[in-house]
Amino acid sequence: MLLNEMSKDELLNFKNSQQQKYDEYKSMGLSLNMARGKPCTEQLDLTLGLLDAVHSESSLLASDGTDVRNYGVLDGLPKAKVMFSQMLGVEPDEVIVGGNSSLNMMYDSVVRNILFGTDGESKPWKEYDRIKWLCPSPGYDRHFAICESLGIEMITVPMLSDGPDMDMIERLVSEDETIKGIWCVPMYSNPTGITYSDEVVKRFAALSPKASDFRIFWDNAYCIHHLTDTPDKLLNIMDELKKNGKEDMIYIFASTSKISFPGAGVAAMAASKKNIKYILSKMTVQTIGPDKINQLRHYKFFGGYDGLVEHMKKHTAVIAPRFKVVIDALEKEIAPLGIGTWHNPNGGYFVSFNSLNGCAKRIVSLCKEAGVILTSAGATYPYGNDPDDKNIRIAPTYPSLDELKTAMEIFVTAVKLASAEKLSD
Amino acid sequence: MLLNEMSKDELLNFKNSQQQKYDEYKSMGLSLNMARGKPCTEQLDLTLGLLDAVHSESSLLASDGTDVRNYGVLDGLPKAKVMFSQMLGVEPDEVIVGGNSSLNMMYDSVVRNILFGTDGESKPWKEYDRIKWLCPSPGYDRHFAICESLGIEMITVPMLSDGPDMDMIERLVSEDETIKGIWCVPMYSNPTGITYSDEVVKRFAALSPKASDFRIFWDNAYCIHHLTDTPDKLLNIMDELKKNGKEDMIYIFASTSKISFPGAGVAAMAASKKNIKYILSKMTVQTIGPDKINQLRHYKFFGGYDGLVEHMKKHTAVIAPRFKVVIDALEKEIAPLGIGTWHNPNGGYFVSFNSLNGCAKRIVSLCKEAGVILTSAGATYPYGNDPDDKNIRIAPTYPSLDELKTAMEIFVTAVKLASAEKLSD
């Protein structure tokens, strides 16, 4: 029976029974964490061999004869560039292979444009009184934190089932020269789990922004992170941009953080040759170059892009059952009551749950009191402000299956209780 | 006989004989590089075991239970913090252990202050029309490149035998609120090889800059990089600053780039607790954190600070003979002619050579034509402008002993030829 079709008495009984159940969970003093998209220990163990891939007997010369231990090679080892070029769908000379954090490469890319502009010709973004950024939401809180920290005004753009609202994006960028960028997680979007349709990608590639220095920040973090045998497919945006002569409009990012080790993976970015040349001209002042030994370690362990893709099947085997626990709990306990919606993703790291309006904060708070930590309600929106107070990001990968089952029991109980409270208001 | 005491004929004969010698070297088609402070392969091999220090059977938990493979720990592994705190002469909670590049930490520290200010109270440096920086010179070209890239006006401060000209520094910082920083390599200075005297360090620690957000960038890159059994001693500046209640005035930097691997070492910075807290509040938006596996690898291989210090003796054994080749050549070939001065350093990576005024560019150019690459003349001064055109940085570590001997033969020949040309002008 749908909760909003219950009589007043039925709703009161329902609420009381959920309250009782919740109090029982609360008394158990649990400590479970579904807050961050963090791989579990089983996943980390899948690449233990990476630690042995470069050892004291290994050849430490790159294909061009460079000693990977010494200084130099700002744009990354040639073989690592090839590996990431295939992952990112670009040419090897459109790639910079960096350190361990793609977030760091994104942050630095925004800061670089603030300080210097995008190409040495257009003016540095710092010379504007204020610049703005488009933020498809629900989205990734760490993207939004970069804008907030740097004083960039964020404009929320609704996420639809096939990508962000392109009508709104096309209109806004064509009108406002101070809109300088947009955050996109085009595949298995964080947190909604959807993949941009071919039409959405084509519309991105055809954008005609008023600002010539507008940049799409294409964070393809989950490009090979499938959960099923029927993965989503994402159109290659660089190919589409090149067809339109607009390849300077994009920066693409990815890393092995959720393939090898979150804290010790390898990150990369891709951009047009013109952009790469300009970026390297600034990076050469910033750093002595990336950790090439770790790049070699990754190349040797995976043996190239095909090895990366193959390896991801092992991750799927570990985490797909976790996603099933989440989806099963929601389908069994929430669907019949009509008090929430979600998308069952084919990949990525999250299940994005939408409660009844005005319930997300209450649900997250109830869970927290019962020892289940979720991403803060609102975190998936700019300035932490979810206008409907309904979106909650569930990250199922880190807890064990048993922990996750318990955590989801508590979660659905909290959803039921908060919904009953709301409806009986 | 001193070159400037030769008769016109003697000088002409000398010049002709050097020209002949030079032409012979030139015809040999050599390719030798003394341009950068780059460790040689023998040095890199000293830490080959580092590559085996963390392997697939290792415990991957930090002392606080953190899995070093996963996300988190923005300020570095606790044990790595202890190791660097001893190296930098501060408390462990005054340290951030970072990625592979201390230059990157310096650059980011300047940029952070440009964007946000130093402490959340004083205004961001970007809000000034122009800020200025003090640059003791000869100094490190990559320091100067950071200022130049970021549009910071550089003021050259003469380097004396016991550190930079403190009279000038005290006067300038007390007068000008737009002077926001100074570059220092206080021990085995790059390139002059001298170590700041106790008095100089105390005067730094007692500075009363007009700008409350003035920062000393104390790049202690060579703090344990001794070449002799009678190493220099550097007074602990953080202790001195604390005595004066001025500990917020400094950022200290170092790395293992010239201890383990130049491209895959571990860098760290130290600052007051107040500064560290503020810096971390900004860094948490910038990155997911440093590569903790590489930090663990270093900690395990060296076993702590004492192990680092002990290990440096192996480097000394490799590179001290190279410095001897340079000094011997200069003493034998240049000293008797009175056409150059230099300091015989107790540590560090360079011999700083001063030719007759107006000869440095010519010497570097002659060397280049004969296949010996030196750091560009002028590079050791802001904007590449050595007012006397006399300073040349010699980096003896990378070539083999035989190569170095040949390179120095060519170098002294070039010095003699250029000097004779100059004096016969």
Side-chain angles (χ1 to χ4, degrees), chain B residues 48-257:
Chain B
L48 263 182
L50 185 69
L51 297 171
D52 307 325
V54 173
H55 51 79
S56 55
E57 308 287 320
S58 301
S59 165
L60 297 162
L61 301 181
S63 47
D64 62 356
T66 307
D67 190 320
V68 300
R69 298 169 295 180
N70 223 323
Y71 290 119
V73 194
L74 191 58
D75 55 349
L77 288 184
K79 282 184 173 168
K81 286 175 68 174
V82 170
M83 184 167 83
F84 278 104
S85 73
Q86 293 171 283
M87 187 167 166
L88 299 166
V90 300
E91 300 297 318
D93 55 1
E94 292 167 331
V95 172
I96 298 171
V97 187
N100 69 326
S101 169
S102 59
L103 188 81
N104 206 152
M105 294 185 100
M106 293 178 223
Y107 181 92
D108 282 1
S109 295
V110 180
V111 165
R112 192 181 306 112
N113 294 350
I114 288 176
L115 294 173
F116 307 115
T118 53
D119 56 8
E121 290 158 28
S122 59
K123 71 177 178 183
W125 294 349
K126 69 177 177 182
E127 290 178 17
Y128 292 84
D129 284 341
R130 165 158 288 225
I131 63 165
K132 299 173 192 157
W133 211 268
L134 301 182
C135 299
S137 303
Y140 179 30
D141 55 352
R142 279 184 169 276
H143 286 165
F144 303 156
I146 290 175
C147 284
E148 190 163 5
S149 173
L150 293 167
I152 298 171
E153 184 181 326
M154 291 182 274
I155 299 170
T156 300
V157 175
M159 271 296 276
L160 310 176
S161 63
D162 66 342
D165 181 341
M166 291 309 298
D167 291 342
M168 183 174 173
I169 291 170
E170 286 165 350
R171 181 173 53 76
L172 285 170
V173 300
S174 69
E175 283 170 358
D176 188 343
E177 205 221 341
T178 68
I179 295 176
K180 297 301 186 190
I182 183 168
W183 295 119
C184 295
V185 183
M187 190 149 189
Y188 306 133
S189 164
N190 178 349
T192 71
I194 65 102
T195 295
Y196 293 10
S197 69
D198 290 359
E199 192 207 333
V200 163
V201 173
K202 283 180 183 173
R203 287 175 75 177
F204 264 111
L207 282 180
S208 293
K210 192 161 184 191
S212 66
D213 54 354
F214 174 83
R215 290 292 181 271
I216 302 166
F217 280 64
W218 198 253
D219 181 2
N220 209 350
Y222 307 108
C223 52
I224 56 174
H225 300 58
H226 312 300
L227 284 167
T228 68
D229 295 335
T230 52
D232 294 351
K233 287 210 169 72
L234 177 71
L235 197 65
N236 182 323
I237 193 168
M238 186 59 106
D239 288 348
E240 298 301 314
L241 283 159
K242 284 175 181 170
K243 285 179 198 166
N244 300 331
K246 297 190 178 202
E247 64 270 23
D248 293 340
M249 193 162 58
I250 201 162
Y251 304 140
I252 305 175
F253 303 90
S255 77
T256 70
S257 289

Side-chain angles (χ1 to χ4, degrees), chain B residues 279-295:
Chain B
I279 291 166
L280 290 173
S281 76
K282 299 301 176 186
M283 272 178 60
T284 190
V285 176
Q286 180 178 12
T287 176
I288 55 148
D291 180 343
K292 299 182 296 296
I293 295 183
N294 205 33
Q295 294 182 4

Side-chain angles (χ1 to χ4, degrees), chain A residues 83-144:
Chain A
M83 184 167 81
F84 278 105
S85 74
Q86 292 172 285
M87 187 168 166
L88 299 166
V90 300
E91 300 297 318
D93 55 1
E94 292 167 333
V95 172
I96 297 171
V97 187
N100 70 325
S101 169
S102 60
L103 189 80
N104 206 153
M105 295 186 99
M106 293 177 224
Y107 181 92
D108 282 1
S109 296
V110 180
V111 166
R112 192 181 306 113
N113 294 349
I114 288 176
L115 294 173
F116 307 113
T118 53
D119 55 8
E121 291 158 27
S122 59
K123 71 177 179 183
W125 293 350
K126 70 177 177 182
E127 290 180 17
Y128 292 84
D129 284 340
R130 166 158 286 226
I131 62 164
K132 299 174 192 157
W133 211 268
L134 301 182
C135 298
S137 303
Y140 179 30
D141 55 352
R142 279 183 169 277
H143 286 164
F144 302 156

Side-chain angles (χ1 to χ4, degrees), chain B residues 317-361:
Chain B
V318 174
I319 66 174
R322 285 171 166 77
F323 277 79
K324 189 170 182 306
V325 166
V326 173
I327 298 295
D328 284 354
L330 295 175
E331 282 179 357
K332 180 160 169 258
E333 301 290 333
I334 303 298
L337 298 167
I339 53 173
T341 59
W342 56 92
H343 172 72
N344 187 357
N346 280 319
Y349 260 63
F350 305 102
V351 174
S352 177
F353 178 82
N354 287 315
S355 67
L356 299 180
N357 283 2
C359 289
K361 278 194 184 127

Side-chain angles (χ1 to χ4, degrees), chain A residues 39 45 52 56 69-70 263 289, chain B residues 39 45 52 56 69-70 100 258 263:
Chain A
D45 286 345
D52 307 326
S56 54
R69 298 170 296 181
N70 224 322
Chain B
D45 286 347
D52 307 325
S56 55
R69 298 169 295 180
N70 223 323
N100 69 326
K258 292 184 175 83

